[in-house]
Amino acid sequence: MAVHIVLVEPEIPQNTGNIVRTCAATGSVLHLVGKLGFRLEDRYLKRAGLDYWPMLEMHVHPDVEALMRAYPGMPAFYLTTKAPQSYVQVDYPRDVLLFFGKESAGLPETLLHAHWDACLRIPMAGDTRSLNLSNSVAIVLYEALRQHGFDQLRTAGPGLRTVF
């Protein structure tokens, strides 16, 4: 199973650094797409990712079209606060692209309209605008992994036991 986390024009290095850690811990692939709001050498990005960088498979793409050419036909979902369908209402394929937009504006409207049937949201209370990007990635990623029994993850380490 390979879940691919796609960040389109991420702006905050600390969020991306946290996502680096999440991807490394889950064996997920990270894709950074378009204009980044930071340099990959940014000290805040590196600090947030800690020593997980060597464990990460990461790709940088100039735009969404280049990413889609690299992964033709791979199923994809697009996370947005505007979608009517919740992220728990779908069955995630073993290999899937999960798209998340930049912190200030989300995914481009043209991308959402082109893939409206594959747009998902994370339910929130009241008038809250959105969740933190790294939290949103973790929520949806772990649902996709849960649906496949966390088969690529270690569920208990030495001396630990899994409790349900």
Side-chain angles (χ1 to χ4, degrees):
M1 177 173 189
V3 176
H4 296 255
I5 299 300
V6 180
L7 304 182
V8 178
E9 298 183 354
E11 300 167 314
I12 302 173
Q14 295 90 335
N15 281 337
T16 301
N18 287 338
I19 294 165
V20 163
R21 293 173 65 182
T22 300
C23 286
T26 60
S28 301
V29 180
L30 178 61
H31 299 270
L32 303 179
V33 178
K35 184 178 182 225
L36 307 179
F38 49 85
R39 292 191 343 250
L40 291 176
E41 299 79 28
D42 189 298
R43 67 184 173 111
Y44 296 108
L45 177 69
K46 294 293 186 187
R47 183 180 303 148
L50 296 173
D51 57 346
Y52 290 86
W53 287 96
M55 296 178 240
L56 176 71
E57 180 181 340
M58 183 176 76
H59 305 276
V60 179
H61 308 274
D63 51 44
V64 171
E65 293 77 19
L67 169 78
M68 298 306 269
R69 282 191 305 274
Y71 296 88
M74 183 176 284
F77 291 102
Y78 305 82
L79 279 294
T80 175
T81 58
K82 302 167 182 81
Q85 184 171 220
S86 168
Y87 77 102
V88 298
Q89 293 176 300
V90 298
D91 293 324
Y92 295 93
R94 289 193 168 277
D95 297 305
V96 64
L97 295 161
L98 299 176
F99 282 79
F100 296 84
K102 62 183 169 183
E103 291 89 341
S104 65
L107 290 169
E109 291 289 328
T110 54
L111 188 63
L112 297 177
H113 289 299
H115 304 282
W116 189 245
D117 290 342
C119 287
L120 306 174
R121 69 175 166 76
I122 299 170
M124 295 179 290
D127 294 330
T128 52
R129 197 177 44 219
S130 65
L131 293 169
N132 175 277
L133 178 61
S134 63
N135 291 339
S136 296
V137 167
I139 289 167
V140 179
L141 171 59
Y142 269 87
E143 172 60 15
L145 296 172
R146 183 198 66 78
Q147 288 185 10
H148 294 282
F150 299 107
D151 58 4
Q152 73 189 49
L153 303 180
R154 175 189 68 194
T155 55
L160 300 176
R161 61 187 177 91
T162 303
V163 179
F164 294 100

